[in-house]
């Protein structure tokens, strides 16, 4: 269950109907979850997956969206973010997986996008694929490479605008957060006529760092873990890529509120996009017009607040929605109990 069902309220702004990134109209999320032994003994286990986030259901290469990324701490392996920040657009799904599966997922998405766009690499330029990762090797036999290119293709095909699956699903299957079962979490906020949605892949922290005293009281200690988190932020507010990067920075506030201090070995990365306007790949126009919010308008501060609150609650939902999970070497990671006693 989401943390609000446990009686918790995070922040002041109202959530969307689904309290999910798919509250941003047009955004779709799909998962492929791998959960099976890789050998008869069960010592080696596939406990991993792939998650796809699509800004809209059209052709993303031909109709790009404004985007930016922000690196809170750079101990991570991603593809595509250099070009996203250079050009300010996103032209592929955002994919999430485990660390060693970035090449396979990149290959799968590339094959998918080439099948949809035969002109790529021929009569027009190449394409920029965006993939983010966290290390799930505690539960997943990461050295066995269970994720294949076709799983990326399948995750994209599975993407819907329904309530996104959360917890131990997709890329979140083998993730551990604050010593408990983590993974995929999502939340959203409404600011006037605009929506801000957040989806996270959580895999960081140790138990004593989780700010449970703010929610439901402390629960034990654990060994140190650096870990990582990928935060995907979506909005239908008309923002420039520079403004999106400013919004992305505020996700670090929400991350810090849960207990993270952006540790040395943590890859804390935010990818943000706006669905407000589509940028055509093919155009003979010299000029293009885009609308953006005025910087000094009070709504910008509300959007900053929305980003911080949605990121915080998405992380908590990644914990509360996860279930106790068994993986490689018989290891078990328990779900957290966020219930508040009367």
């Amino acid at each position: 269950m989401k943390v609000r069902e446990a009686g918790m309220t995070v922040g002041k702004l109202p959530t969307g109907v689904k309290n999910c990134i798919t509250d941003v109209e047009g955004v779709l999320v799909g998962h492929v979850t791998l959960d099976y032994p890789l050998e008869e003994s069960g010592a080696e286990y596939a406990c991993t997956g792939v998650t796809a986030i699509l800004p809209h259901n059209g052709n993303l290469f031909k109709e790009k969206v404004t985007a930016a990324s922000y690196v809170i701490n750079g101990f991570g392996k991603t593809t595509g973010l250099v070009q996203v920040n250079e050009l300010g657009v996103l032209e592929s799904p955002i994919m999430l997986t485990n660390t060693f599966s970035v090449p396979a997922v990149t290959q799968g998405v590339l094959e998918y996008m080439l099948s949809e766009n035969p002109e790529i690499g021929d009569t027009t330029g190449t394409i920029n694929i965006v993939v983010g990762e966290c290390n799930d090797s505690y539960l997943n036999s990461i050295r066995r490479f269970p994720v294949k290119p076709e799983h990326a293709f399948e995750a994209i095909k599975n993407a819907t605008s329904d309530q996104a699956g959360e917890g131990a699903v997709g890329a979140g299957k083998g993730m551990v957060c604050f010593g408990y079962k983590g993974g995929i979490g999502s939340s959203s906020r409404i600011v006037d006529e605009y929506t801000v949605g957040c989806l996270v892949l959580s895999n960081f922290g140790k138990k004593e760092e989780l700010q449970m005293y703010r929610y439901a009281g402390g629960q034990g200690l654990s060994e140190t873990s650096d870990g990582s988190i990928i935060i995907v932020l979506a909005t239908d507010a008309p923002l420039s890529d520079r403004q999106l990067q400013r919004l992305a920075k505020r996700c670090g506030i929400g991350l810090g509120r849960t207990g993270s201090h952006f540790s040395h070995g943590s890859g804390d990365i935010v990818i943000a996009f706006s669905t407000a306007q589509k940028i055509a790949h093919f155009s003979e126009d010299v000029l293009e017009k885009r609308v953006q919010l005025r910087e000094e308008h009070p709504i910008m501060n509300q959007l900053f607040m929305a980003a911080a609150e949605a990121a915080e609650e998405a992380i908590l939902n990644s914990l509360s929605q996860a279930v106790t999970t068994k993986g490689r070497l018989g290891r078990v990671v328990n779900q957290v109990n966020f219930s508040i006693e009367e």
Side-chain angles (χ1 to χ4, degrees):
M1 63 179 178
K2 285 184 177 280
V3 291
R4 287 179 180 256
E5 297 172 45
M8 301 175 207
T9 301
V10 179
K12 300 178 180 179
L13 295 170
T15 71
V17 174
K18 292 175 280 190
N19 193 16
C20 179
I21 194 172
T22 55
D23 281 318
V24 179
E25 187 174 357
V27 174
L28 304 94
V29 176
H31 302 292
V32 167
T33 304
L34 307 183
D35 182 13
Y36 50 83
L38 294 171
E39 57 184 33
E40 190 172 342
S41 69
E44 300 297 334
Y45 204 92
C47 185
T48 190
V50 182
T51 295
I53 302 98
L54 283 64
H56 61 75
N57 64 0
N59 189 308
L60 285 165
F61 179 72
K62 294 178 181 176
E63 296 183 304
K64 311 176 198 301
V65 296
T66 308
S69 71
Y70 178 68
V71 178
I72 300 171
N73 193 70
F75 201 99
K77 295 81 183 165
T78 60
T79 64
L81 297 189
V82 171
Q83 184 170 314
V84 166
N85 282 354
E86 183 69 22
L87 302 184
V89 296
L90 178 70
E91 59 185 14
S92 78
I94 297 170
M95 308 298 294
L96 306 177
T97 190
N98 74 68
T99 308
F100 287 177
S101 294
V102 171
V105 170
T106 302
Q107 177 72 23
V109 180
L110 181 58
E111 291 176 359
Y112 172 82
M113 297 301 289
L114 292 180
S115 71
E116 295 286 306
N117 302 275
E119 63 273 34
I120 293 176
D122 186 5
T123 58
T124 190
T126 57
I127 185 170
N128 186 50
I129 306 298
V130 175
V131 183
E133 58 76 31
C134 292
N135 183 354
D136 61 10
S137 60
Y138 184 78
L139 289 174
N140 176 49
S141 295
I142 195 169
R143 290 172 57 92
R144 296 291 187 93
F145 305 108
V147 172
K148 307 302 180 186
E150 56 264 31
H151 294 134
F153 201 109
E154 186 180 350
I156 295 170
K157 289 295 187 181
N158 288 344
T160 76
S161 59
D162 297 335
Q163 177 78 45
E166 296 176 70
V169 298
K173 177 61 184 178
M175 302 300 169
V176 183
C177 188
F178 291 118
Y180 295 103
K181 189 67 194 74
I184 300 293
S186 194
S187 186
S188 66
R189 293 294 186 274
I190 305 298
V191 176
D192 290 347
E193 69 267 38
Y194 301 122
T195 303
V196 174
C198 183
L199 183 143
V200 303
L201 178 63
S202 69
N203 189 59
F204 66 93
K206 50 186 178 178
K207 287 184 180 179
E208 59 264 37
E209 292 174 334
L210 177 58
Q211 299 297 291
M212 295 292 288
Y213 66 84
R214 298 184 59 229
Y215 309 115
Q219 295 189 31
L221 299 173
S222 73
E223 60 188 45
T224 300
S225 174
D226 281 327
S228 296
I229 185 169
I230 302 292
I231 302 173
V232 179
L233 196 69
T235 185
D236 53 11
L239 301 177
S240 69
D241 57 306
R242 181 185 56 76
Q243 290 174 323
L244 281 169
Q245 190 175 70
R246 296 190 73 204
L247 208 64
K249 291 177 182 179
R250 273 65 185 182
C251 290
I253 298 170
L255 176 58
R257 285 173 180 167
T258 66
S260 171
H261 58 273
F262 319 152
S263 59
H264 163 71
S266 187
D268 307 320
I269 297 168
V270 187
I271 306 167
F273 64 86
S274 169
T275 63
Q277 297 160 101
K278 295 183 176 69
I279 301 98
H281 178 78
F282 295 107
S283 176
E284 296 181 359
D285 294 335
V286 175
L287 300 177
E288 65 179 15
K289 296 181 180 179
R290 301 191 204 178
V291 176
Q292 69 178 58
L293 294 176
R294 287 184 62 87
E295 211 80 31
E296 69 273 19
H297 195 283
I299 199 170
M300 287 299 294
N301 275 333
Q302 293 293 297
L303 290 171
F304 289 163
M305 182 185 297
E309 289 185 5
E312 179 183 10
E313 187 165 345
I315 293 165
L316 297 176
N317 283 334
S318 76
L319 288 158
S320 70
Q321 294 278 71
V323 296
T324 297
T325 300
K326 183 178 179 179
R328 64 184 291 258
L329 303 177
R331 292 170 176 168
V332 176
V333 178
N334 294 316
Q335 65 191 83
V336 70
N337 178 16
F338 272 125
S339 297
I340 298 177
E341 298 181 359
E342 298 294 337

